[in-house]
Amino acid sequence: MSRPAPVRTRLAVLATGALLALTACSSGTADAGGDTGGGDDLIRVGFSQLGAESGWRTANTESVKASLSEENGFDLNFVDAQQKQENQIKALRDFVAQDVDVIAFSPVIETGWDEVLQEIKDSGIPVVLVDRTVDTTVEDPFVTWIGADFRQEGTTAGEWVAENAPDAKIFELQGTLGSGAQVDREEGFDEVVGDQVIGKASGNFTRAEGKTAVEAALQAYPETDLIFTHNDDMGLGAVEAIEAAGKVPGEDIKIVSVDGVRDGLQALVDKKFNYVVECNPVFGDQLAELITQVANGEDVPEETIVVDAAFDQTITQADVDARAY
Ligand code: AHR
């Protein structure tokens, strides 16, 4: 895997005109598409976040912004793509035009990145992939990736079902179709209990769309007695739909979820969820360290897996109250 030149080396080879432009930029001129500032010693990072669709994403954004702060040595240009790939592609092209030191992004879906990844590669700017994964024909499209093992999360959820609800008739509430989180969680879960899944639909990782998908599922598959939801927000939407249909979530219809945000764990304490596999969004500090190493041309691991836990209904209110997100 090729390594980027250190930040200072890259700055040194810039032509005088470009260096002047960079100075103008770092003395406060606003870049299109996001906030910027900072000085020459800061590592200039363009971060394309995929959206603000869930409690998980909000916690992840807070963690990233807190760690990639000016006090920590970063000049962060953070752009929210509102779950639209075209917005992400535009932001990535802007980062290339701004000649940032490192580009980091969390891709909304896996495919469709070939052209822009090739453009970034041609620019020589290193890419750090965050949270989700890409499926591309571009060789060595990123230096390193940090995120959770989505497949394992699906497997862990499936194993709980196999042990605790072996005869369940399952409706699977999928995340954004084509996203790494949806594809891998589904694969891991279905490998264990796929033969019990009687129907599937996407709720796009949001509470509102999760509710709508479950309202339709309760009509189409009235025998459903367990929902595996790819995140807590959609699971909370499912709770609303189940209650509106006169059924008891957690009893008539069990709910197995992924994420472990405070609202999801509260649903577990309230016995509306039955099991939650954690997906930890608080990895800003690890990301900051990786970006620093990449900017300095140091060796980094190809991947960093963020460690997850899992929770059942033995979780206490005190555990939920102590939750950071
Ligand atoms: O990619 C991580 C997933 O994205 C989280 O599980 C989900 O809540 C978010 O929208």
Side-chain angles (χ1 to χ4, degrees), residues 50 52-57 83 106-107 130-132 148 150 153 176 179-182 185 204-206 230-233 258-259 261 279:
L50 66 88
E53 74 285 3
S54 63
W56 188 99
R57 189 67 52 198
Q83 279 205 293
S106 191
V130 182
D131 167 34
R132 296 188 187 168
F150 296 139
E153 290 168 353
T176 304
S179 68
Q182 175 263 317
R185 284 176 186 159
N204 203 22
F205 283 125
T206 70
H230 289 187
N231 84 343
D232 287 343
D233 289 76
V258 184
D259 269 358
V261 296
C279 181

PDB file of all heavy atoms in Angstrom, residues 50 52-57 83 106-107 130-132 148 150 153 176 179-182 185 204-206 230-233 258-259 261 279, ligand 1:
ATOM      1  N   LEU A  50     -21.839  11.233   6.224  1.00  0.00           N
ATOM      2  CA  LEU A  50     -22.907  10.864   5.292  1.00  0.00           C
ATOM      3  C   LEU A  50     -24.259  11.495   5.619  1.00  0.00           C
ATOM      4  O   LEU A  50     -25.108  11.640   4.747  1.00  0.00           O
ATOM      5  CB  LEU A  50     -23.028   9.337   5.183  1.00  0.00           C
ATOM      6  CG  LEU A  50     -23.489   8.535   6.400  1.00  0.00           C
ATOM      7  CD1 LEU A  50     -25.003   8.439   6.444  1.00  0.00           C
ATOM      8  CD2 LEU A  50     -22.911   7.132   6.329  1.00  0.00           C
ATOM      9  N   ALA A  52     -27.231  12.768   9.114  1.00  0.00           N
ATOM     10  CA  ALA A  52     -27.569  12.919  10.528  1.00  0.00           C
ATOM     11  C   ALA A  52     -28.832  12.108  10.790  1.00  0.00           C
ATOM     12  O   ALA A  52     -29.766  12.557  11.435  1.00  0.00           O
ATOM     13  CB  ALA A  52     -27.787  14.393  10.852  1.00  0.00           C
ATOM     14  N   GLU A  53     -28.835  10.884  10.211  1.00  0.00           N
ATOM     15  CA  GLU A  53     -30.061  10.088  10.173  1.00  0.00           C
ATOM     16  C   GLU A  53     -30.434   9.404  11.484  1.00  0.00           C
ATOM     17  O   GLU A  53     -31.573   8.985  11.641  1.00  0.00           O
ATOM     18  CB  GLU A  53     -29.927   9.035   9.048  1.00  0.00           C
ATOM     19  CG  GLU A  53     -28.989   7.857   9.329  1.00  0.00           C
ATOM     20  CD  GLU A  53     -27.496   8.179   9.241  1.00  0.00           C
ATOM     21  OE1 GLU A  53     -27.153   9.344   9.020  1.00  0.00           O
ATOM     22  OE2 GLU A  53     -26.682   7.261   9.415  1.00  0.00           O
ATOM     23  N   SER A  54     -29.466   9.292  12.401  1.00  0.00           N
ATOM     24  CA  SER A  54     -29.727   8.464  13.591  1.00  0.00           C
ATOM     25  C   SER A  54     -29.000   9.016  14.813  1.00  0.00           C
ATOM     26  O   SER A  54     -28.106   9.860  14.700  1.00  0.00           O
ATOM     27  CB  SER A  54     -29.221   7.039  13.320  1.00  0.00           C
ATOM     28  OG  SER A  54     -27.814   7.056  13.114  1.00  0.00           O
ATOM     29  N   GLY A  55     -29.389   8.490  15.990  1.00  0.00           N
ATOM     30  CA  GLY A  55     -28.686   8.858  17.217  1.00  0.00           C
ATOM     31  C   GLY A  55     -27.227   8.448  17.140  1.00  0.00           C
ATOM     32  O   GLY A  55     -26.338   9.146  17.634  1.00  0.00           O
ATOM     33  N   TRP A  56     -26.974   7.308  16.506  1.00  0.00           N
ATOM     34  CA  TRP A  56     -25.597   6.838  16.322  1.00  0.00           C
ATOM     35  C   TRP A  56     -24.789   7.882  15.542  1.00  0.00           C
ATOM     36  O   TRP A  56     -23.685   8.231  15.922  1.00  0.00           O
ATOM     37  CB  TRP A  56     -25.605   5.513  15.539  1.00  0.00           C
ATOM     38  CG  TRP A  56     -24.263   4.845  15.453  1.00  0.00           C
ATOM     39  CD1 TRP A  56     -23.823   3.812  16.230  1.00  0.00           C
ATOM     40  CD2 TRP A  56     -23.189   5.145  14.539  1.00  0.00           C
ATOM     41  NE1 TRP A  56     -22.539   3.471  15.868  1.00  0.00           N
ATOM     42  CE2 TRP A  56     -22.133   4.269  14.831  1.00  0.00           C
ATOM     43  CE3 TRP A  56     -23.016   6.066  13.511  1.00  0.00           C
ATOM     44  CZ2 TRP A  56     -20.917   4.280  14.137  1.00  0.00           C
ATOM     45  CZ3 TRP A  56     -21.810   6.102  12.821  1.00  0.00           C
ATOM     46  CH2 TRP A  56     -20.768   5.211  13.130  1.00  0.00           C
ATOM     47  N   ARG A  57     -25.379   8.378  14.453  1.00  0.00           N
ATOM     48  CA  ARG A  57     -24.643   9.309  13.588  1.00  0.00           C
ATOM     49  C   ARG A  57     -24.353  10.609  14.336  1.00  0.00           C
ATOM     50  O   ARG A  57     -23.272  11.184  14.204  1.00  0.00           O
ATOM     51  CB  ARG A  57     -25.476   9.582  12.325  1.00  0.00           C
ATOM     52  CG  ARG A  57     -24.765  10.353  11.233  1.00  0.00           C
ATOM     53  CD  ARG A  57     -23.620   9.613  10.587  1.00  0.00           C
ATOM     54  NE  ARG A  57     -23.970   8.291  10.127  1.00  0.00           N
ATOM     55  CZ  ARG A  57     -23.097   7.323   9.838  1.00  0.00           C
ATOM     56  NH1 ARG A  57     -21.813   7.533   9.942  1.00  0.00           N
ATOM     57  NH2 ARG A  57     -23.501   6.127   9.448  1.00  0.00           N
ATOM     58  N   GLN A  83     -27.357  12.179   3.662  1.00  0.00           N
ATOM     59  CA  GLN A  83     -27.622  10.833   3.121  1.00  0.00           C
ATOM     60  C   GLN A  83     -27.732  10.794   1.596  1.00  0.00           C
ATOM     61  O   GLN A  83     -28.373   9.907   1.039  1.00  0.00           O
ATOM     62  CB  GLN A  83     -28.874  10.234   3.758  1.00  0.00           C
ATOM     63  CG  GLN A  83     -28.600   9.634   5.146  1.00  0.00           C
ATOM     64  CD  GLN A  83     -29.586   8.559   5.522  1.00  0.00           C
ATOM     65  OE1 GLN A  83     -30.748   8.822   5.724  1.00  0.00           O
ATOM     66  NE2 GLN A  83     -29.130   7.321   5.607  1.00  0.00           N
ATOM     67  N   SER A 106     -17.258   8.903   5.268  1.00  0.00           N
ATOM     68  CA  SER A 106     -18.079   7.788   5.690  1.00  0.00           C
ATOM     69  C   SER A 106     -19.095   7.555   4.573  1.00  0.00           C
ATOM     70  O   SER A 106     -20.083   8.288   4.461  1.00  0.00           O
ATOM     71  CB  SER A 106     -18.772   8.227   6.988  1.00  0.00           C
ATOM     72  OG  SER A 106     -19.384   7.165   7.606  1.00  0.00           O
ATOM     73  N   PRO A 107     -18.864   6.591   3.678  1.00  0.00           N
ATOM     74  CA  PRO A 107     -19.677   6.474   2.453  1.00  0.00           C
ATOM     75  C   PRO A 107     -21.093   5.955   2.708  1.00  0.00           C
ATOM     76  O   PRO A 107     -21.275   4.908   3.333  1.00  0.00           O
ATOM     77  CB  PRO A 107     -18.883   5.464   1.607  1.00  0.00           C
ATOM     78  CG  PRO A 107     -18.029   4.712   2.568  1.00  0.00           C
ATOM     79  CD  PRO A 107     -17.800   5.579   3.764  1.00  0.00           C
ATOM     80  N   VAL A 130     -14.026   5.932   6.908  1.00  0.00           N
ATOM     81  CA  VAL A 130     -14.574   5.937   8.262  1.00  0.00           C
ATOM     82  C   VAL A 130     -15.921   5.220   8.304  1.00  0.00           C
ATOM     83  O   VAL A 130     -16.789   5.468   7.455  1.00  0.00           O
ATOM     84  CB  VAL A 130     -14.763   7.400   8.747  1.00  0.00           C
ATOM     85  CG1 VAL A 130     -15.286   7.429  10.179  1.00  0.00           C
ATOM     86  CG2 VAL A 130     -13.454   8.174   8.651  1.00  0.00           C
ATOM     87  N   ASP A 131     -16.105   4.348   9.268  1.00  0.00           N
ATOM     88  CA  ASP A 131     -17.382   3.692   9.555  1.00  0.00           C
ATOM     89  C   ASP A 131     -17.780   2.684   8.475  1.00  0.00           C
ATOM     90  O   ASP A 131     -17.681   1.491   8.684  1.00  0.00           O
ATOM     91  CB  ASP A 131     -18.471   4.767   9.806  1.00  0.00           C
ATOM     92  CG  ASP A 131     -19.885   4.241   9.802  1.00  0.00           C
ATOM     93  OD1 ASP A 131     -20.077   3.097  10.237  1.00  0.00           O
ATOM     94  OD2 ASP A 131     -20.804   4.978   9.373  1.00  0.00           O
ATOM     95  N   ARG A 132     -18.242   3.158   7.326  1.00  0.00           N
ATOM     96  CA  ARG A 132     -18.725   2.233   6.299  1.00  0.00           C
ATOM     97  C   ARG A 132     -17.647   1.958   5.239  1.00  0.00           C
ATOM     98  O   ARG A 132     -16.648   2.661   5.184  1.00  0.00           O
ATOM     99  CB  ARG A 132     -19.997   2.773   5.653  1.00  0.00           C
ATOM    100  CG  ARG A 132     -21.134   2.873   6.653  1.00  0.00           C
ATOM    101  CD  ARG A 132     -22.434   3.213   5.995  1.00  0.00           C
ATOM    102  NE  ARG A 132     -23.466   3.457   6.993  1.00  0.00           N
ATOM    103  CZ  ARG A 132     -24.643   4.000   6.728  1.00  0.00           C
ATOM    104  NH1 ARG A 132     -24.933   4.359   5.493  1.00  0.00           N
ATOM    105  NH2 ARG A 132     -25.531   4.186   7.678  1.00  0.00           N
ATOM    106  N   ALA A 148     -16.715  -0.480  12.657  1.00  0.00           N
ATOM    107  CA  ALA A 148     -17.140  -1.671  13.397  1.00  0.00           C
ATOM    108  C   ALA A 148     -17.233  -2.874  12.468  1.00  0.00           C
ATOM    109  O   ALA A 148     -17.301  -2.731  11.249  1.00  0.00           O
ATOM    110  CB  ALA A 148     -18.504  -1.403  14.032  1.00  0.00           C
ATOM    111  N   PHE A 150     -19.521  -4.993  11.111  1.00  0.00           N
ATOM    112  CA  PHE A 150     -20.973  -5.076  10.927  1.00  0.00           C
ATOM    113  C   PHE A 150     -21.450  -6.526  10.788  1.00  0.00           C
ATOM    114  O   PHE A 150     -22.526  -6.895  11.246  1.00  0.00           O
ATOM    115  CB  PHE A 150     -21.406  -4.312   9.672  1.00  0.00           C
ATOM    116  CG  PHE A 150     -21.149  -2.832   9.714  1.00  0.00           C
ATOM    117  CD1 PHE A 150     -20.663  -2.168   8.600  1.00  0.00           C
ATOM    118  CD2 PHE A 150     -21.417  -2.083  10.851  1.00  0.00           C
ATOM    119  CE1 PHE A 150     -20.451  -0.798   8.608  1.00  0.00           C
ATOM    120  CE2 PHE A 150     -21.208  -0.721  10.880  1.00  0.00           C
ATOM    121  CZ  PHE A 150     -20.710  -0.071   9.757  1.00  0.00           C
ATOM    122  N   GLU A 153     -21.739  -8.053  14.063  1.00  0.00           N
ATOM    123  CA  GLU A 153     -22.919  -7.537  14.778  1.00  0.00           C
ATOM    124  C   GLU A 153     -24.175  -8.331  14.372  1.00  0.00           C
ATOM    125  O   GLU A 153     -24.983  -8.710  15.219  1.00  0.00           O
ATOM    126  CB  GLU A 153     -23.116  -6.051  14.468  1.00  0.00           C
ATOM    127  CG  GLU A 153     -22.042  -5.166  15.081  1.00  0.00           C
ATOM    128  CD  GLU A 153     -22.052  -3.730  14.553  1.00  0.00           C
ATOM    129  OE1 GLU A 153     -22.806  -3.428  13.595  1.00  0.00           O
ATOM    130  OE2 GLU A 153     -21.295  -2.912  15.099  1.00  0.00           O
ATOM    131  N   THR A 176     -30.131   1.499   5.200  1.00  0.00           N
ATOM    132  CA  THR A 176     -30.035   2.041   3.836  1.00  0.00           C
ATOM    133  C   THR A 176     -29.528   0.957   2.886  1.00  0.00           C
ATOM    134  O   THR A 176     -28.426   0.422   3.080  1.00  0.00           O
ATOM    135  CB  THR A 176     -29.063   3.238   3.826  1.00  0.00           C
ATOM    136  OG1 THR A 176     -29.524   4.195   4.778  1.00  0.00           O
ATOM    137  CG2 THR A 176     -28.966   3.861   2.441  1.00  0.00           C
ATOM    138  N   SER A 179     -25.754  -0.043   1.698  1.00  0.00           N
ATOM    139  CA  SER A 179     -24.720   0.468   2.616  1.00  0.00           C
ATOM    140  C   SER A 179     -23.995  -0.713   3.250  1.00  0.00           C
ATOM    141  O   SER A 179     -24.568  -1.793   3.429  1.00  0.00           O
ATOM    142  CB  SER A 179     -25.355   1.325   3.719  1.00  0.00           C
ATOM    143  OG  SER A 179     -26.139   0.527   4.594  1.00  0.00           O
ATOM    144  N   GLY A 180     -22.731  -0.487   3.611  1.00  0.00           N
ATOM    145  CA  GLY A 180     -21.958  -1.554   4.252  1.00  0.00           C
ATOM    146  C   GLY A 180     -22.663  -2.072   5.495  1.00  0.00           C
ATOM    147  O   GLY A 180     -22.686  -3.278   5.758  1.00  0.00           O
ATOM    148  N   ALA A 181     -23.270  -1.165   6.259  1.00  0.00           N
ATOM    149  CA  ALA A 181     -23.931  -1.563   7.502  1.00  0.00           C
ATOM    150  C   ALA A 181     -25.126  -2.478   7.226  1.00  0.00           C
ATOM    151  O   ALA A 181     -25.376  -3.435   7.963  1.00  0.00           O
ATOM    152  CB  ALA A 181     -24.373  -0.319   8.271  1.00  0.00           C
ATOM    153  N   GLN A 182     -25.865  -2.203   6.163  1.00  0.00           N
ATOM    154  CA  GLN A 182     -27.020  -3.067   5.816  1.00  0.00           C
ATOM    155  C   GLN A 182     -26.541  -4.404   5.243  1.00  0.00           C
ATOM    156  O   GLN A 182     -26.963  -5.471   5.708  1.00  0.00           O
ATOM    157  CB  GLN A 182     -27.922  -2.350   4.797  1.00  0.00           C
ATOM    158  CG  GLN A 182     -29.088  -3.193   4.283  1.00  0.00           C
ATOM    159  CD  GLN A 182     -28.798  -3.857   2.936  1.00  0.00           C
ATOM    160  OE1 GLN A 182     -28.247  -3.239   2.034  1.00  0.00           O
ATOM    161  NE2 GLN A 182     -29.164  -5.111   2.772  1.00  0.00           N
ATOM    162  N   ARG A 185     -24.598  -6.578   8.028  1.00  0.00           N
ATOM    163  CA  ARG A 185     -25.435  -7.036   9.153  1.00  0.00           C
ATOM    164  C   ARG A 185     -26.412  -8.106   8.671  1.00  0.00           C
ATOM    165  O   ARG A 185     -26.653  -9.092   9.350  1.00  0.00           O
ATOM    166  CB  ARG A 185     -26.199  -5.852   9.769  1.00  0.00           C
ATOM    167  CG  ARG A 185     -25.305  -4.995  10.637  1.00  0.00           C
ATOM    168  CD  ARG A 185     -25.991  -3.762  11.186  1.00  0.00           C
ATOM    169  NE  ARG A 185     -24.993  -2.946  11.871  1.00  0.00           N
ATOM    170  CZ  ARG A 185     -25.119  -1.658  12.131  1.00  0.00           C
ATOM    171  NH1 ARG A 185     -26.201  -1.014  11.784  1.00  0.00           N
ATOM    172  NH2 ARG A 185     -24.155  -0.999  12.751  1.00  0.00           N
ATOM    173  N   ASN A 204     -34.236   2.731   5.992  1.00  0.00           N
ATOM    174  CA  ASN A 204     -33.236   3.778   5.711  1.00  0.00           C
ATOM    175  C   ASN A 204     -32.550   4.334   6.967  1.00  0.00           C
ATOM    176  O   ASN A 204     -32.089   5.467   6.973  1.00  0.00           O
ATOM    177  CB  ASN A 204     -33.906   4.906   4.916  1.00  0.00           C
ATOM    178  CG  ASN A 204     -32.925   5.724   4.117  1.00  0.00           C
ATOM    179  OD1 ASN A 204     -31.832   5.270   3.808  1.00  0.00           O
ATOM    180  ND2 ASN A 204     -33.291   6.960   3.808  1.00  0.00           N
ATOM    181  N   PHE A 205     -32.514   3.538   8.027  1.00  0.00           N
ATOM    182  CA  PHE A 205     -31.851   3.892   9.293  1.00  0.00           C
ATOM    183  C   PHE A 205     -32.526   5.044  10.044  1.00  0.00           C
ATOM    184  O   PHE A 205     -31.949   5.599  10.966  1.00  0.00           O
ATOM    185  CB  PHE A 205     -30.359   4.240   9.081  1.00  0.00           C
ATOM    186  CG  PHE A 205     -29.459   3.043   8.885  1.00  0.00           C
ATOM    187  CD1 PHE A 205     -28.627   2.936   7.766  1.00  0.00           C
ATOM    188  CD2 PHE A 205     -29.410   2.029   9.829  1.00  0.00           C
ATOM    189  CE1 PHE A 205     -27.786   1.837   7.594  1.00  0.00           C
ATOM    190  CE2 PHE A 205     -28.570   0.925   9.657  1.00  0.00           C
ATOM    191  CZ  PHE A 205     -27.753   0.831   8.545  1.00  0.00           C
ATOM    192  N   THR A 206     -33.765   5.423   9.638  1.00  0.00           N
ATOM    193  CA  THR A 206     -34.438   6.517  10.366  1.00  0.00           C
ATOM    194  C   THR A 206     -35.681   5.998  11.099  1.00  0.00           C
ATOM    195  O   THR A 206     -36.300   5.007  10.691  1.00  0.00           O
ATOM    196  CB  THR A 206     -34.887   7.657   9.419  1.00  0.00           C
ATOM    197  OG1 THR A 206     -35.966   7.190   8.597  1.00  0.00           O
ATOM    198  CG2 THR A 206     -33.755   8.151   8.543  1.00  0.00           C
ATOM    199  N   HIS A 230     -31.849  -3.126  11.876  1.00  0.00           N
ATOM    200  CA  HIS A 230     -30.428  -2.825  11.691  1.00  0.00           C
ATOM    201  C   HIS A 230     -29.967  -1.611  12.498  1.00  0.00           C
ATOM    202  O   HIS A 230     -28.789  -1.299  12.481  1.00  0.00           O
ATOM    203  CB  HIS A 230     -30.114  -2.622  10.207  1.00  0.00           C
ATOM    204  CG  HIS A 230     -30.169  -3.877   9.390  1.00  0.00           C
ATOM    205  ND1 HIS A 230     -29.790  -3.937   8.067  1.00  0.00           N
ATOM    206  CD2 HIS A 230     -30.556  -5.147   9.700  1.00  0.00           C
ATOM    207  CE1 HIS A 230     -29.945  -5.165   7.596  1.00  0.00           C
ATOM    208  NE2 HIS A 230     -30.414  -5.914   8.573  1.00  0.00           N
ATOM    209  N   ASN A 231     -30.894  -0.862  13.114  1.00  0.00           N
ATOM    210  CA  ASN A 231     -30.447   0.141  14.101  1.00  0.00           C
ATOM    211  C   ASN A 231     -31.571   0.493  15.085  1.00  0.00           C
ATOM    212  O   ASN A 231     -32.735   0.148  14.871  1.00  0.00           O
ATOM    213  CB  ASN A 231     -29.825   1.396  13.445  1.00  0.00           C
ATOM    214  CG  ASN A 231     -30.837   2.444  13.002  1.00  0.00           C
ATOM    215  OD1 ASN A 231     -32.020   2.171  12.878  1.00  0.00           O
ATOM    216  ND2 ASN A 231     -30.352   3.647  12.744  1.00  0.00           N
ATOM    217  N   ASP A 232     -31.164   1.172  16.172  1.00  0.00           N
ATOM    218  CA  ASP A 232     -32.113   1.493  17.235  1.00  0.00           C
ATOM    219  C   ASP A 232     -33.210   2.448  16.769  1.00  0.00           C
ATOM    220  O   ASP A 232     -34.375   2.309  17.156  1.00  0.00           O
ATOM    221  CB  ASP A 232     -31.380   2.174  18.414  1.00  0.00           C
ATOM    222  CG  ASP A 232     -30.522   1.201  19.211  1.00  0.00           C
ATOM    223  OD1 ASP A 232     -30.720  -0.017  19.079  1.00  0.00           O
ATOM    224  OD2 ASP A 232     -29.656   1.677  19.967  1.00  0.00           O
ATOM    225  N   ASP A 233     -32.837   3.435  15.960  1.00  0.00           N
ATOM    226  CA  ASP A 233     -33.843   4.428  15.540  1.00  0.00           C
ATOM    227  C   ASP A 233     -35.012   3.755  14.826  1.00  0.00           C
ATOM    228  O   ASP A 233     -36.186   4.041  15.116  1.00  0.00           O
ATOM    229  CB  ASP A 233     -33.203   5.493  14.633  1.00  0.00           C
ATOM    230  CG  ASP A 233     -32.277   6.400  15.412  1.00  0.00           C
ATOM    231  OD1 ASP A 233     -31.162   5.945  15.733  1.00  0.00           O
ATOM    232  OD2 ASP A 233     -32.681   7.525  15.757  1.00  0.00           O
ATOM    233  N   VAL A 258     -29.525  -3.093  16.764  1.00  0.00           N
ATOM    234  CA  VAL A 258     -28.089  -2.802  16.729  1.00  0.00           C
ATOM    235  C   VAL A 258     -27.887  -1.314  17.002  1.00  0.00           C
ATOM    236  O   VAL A 258     -28.675  -0.495  16.520  1.00  0.00           O
ATOM    237  CB  VAL A 258     -27.466  -3.120  15.348  1.00  0.00           C
ATOM    238  CG1 VAL A 258     -25.947  -2.907  15.374  1.00  0.00           C
ATOM    239  CG2 VAL A 258     -27.781  -4.540  14.911  1.00  0.00           C
ATOM    240  N   ASP A 259     -26.904  -0.961  17.742  1.00  0.00           N
ATOM    241  CA  ASP A 259     -26.373   0.389  18.013  1.00  0.00           C
ATOM    242  C   ASP A 259     -26.085   0.569  19.506  1.00  0.00           C
ATOM    243  O   ASP A 259     -24.942   0.759  19.873  1.00  0.00           O
ATOM    244  CB  ASP A 259     -27.289   1.540  17.566  1.00  0.00           C
ATOM    245  CG  ASP A 259     -26.997   1.991  16.132  1.00  0.00           C
ATOM    246  OD1 ASP A 259     -26.065   1.432  15.526  1.00  0.00           O
ATOM    247  OD2 ASP A 259     -27.692   2.874  15.625  1.00  0.00           O
ATOM    248  N   VAL A 261     -27.587   3.141  21.374  1.00  0.00           N
ATOM    249  CA  VAL A 261     -27.684   4.547  21.806  1.00  0.00           C
ATOM    250  C   VAL A 261     -28.592   4.590  23.036  1.00  0.00           C
ATOM    251  O   VAL A 261     -29.321   3.632  23.318  1.00  0.00           O
ATOM    252  CB  VAL A 261     -28.241   5.467  20.686  1.00  0.00           C
ATOM    253  CG1 VAL A 261     -27.288   5.499  19.505  1.00  0.00           C
ATOM    254  CG2 VAL A 261     -29.628   5.032  20.239  1.00  0.00           C
ATOM    255  N   CYS A 279     -22.947  -0.874  18.548  1.00  0.00           N
ATOM    256  CA  CYS A 279     -22.057  -0.401  17.489  1.00  0.00           C
ATOM    257  C   CYS A 279     -21.544   0.928  18.026  1.00  0.00           C
ATOM    258  O   CYS A 279     -22.290   1.906  18.087  1.00  0.00           O
ATOM    259  CB  CYS A 279     -22.832  -0.213  16.184  1.00  0.00           C
ATOM    260  SG  CYS A 279     -21.780   0.351  14.826  1.00  0.00           S
TER     261      CYS A 279
HETATM  262  O1  AHR B   1     -22.908   2.888   9.747  1.00  0.00           O
HETATM  263  C1  AHR B   1     -23.359   2.785  11.058  1.00  0.00           C
HETATM  264  C2  AHR B   1     -24.850   2.830  11.084  1.00  0.00           C
HETATM  265  O2  AHR B   1     -25.283   4.042  10.493  1.00  0.00           O
HETATM  266  C3  AHR B   1     -25.509   2.843  12.437  1.00  0.00           C
HETATM  267  O3  AHR B   1     -25.733   1.573  12.940  1.00  0.00           O
HETATM  268  C4  AHR B   1     -26.796   3.504  12.112  1.00  0.00           C
HETATM  269  O4  AHR B   1     -27.526   3.920  13.231  1.00  0.00           O
HETATM  270  C5  AHR B   1     -26.299   4.620  11.282  1.00  0.00           C
HETATM  271  O5  AHR B   1     -27.243   5.290  10.613  1.00  0.00           O
END
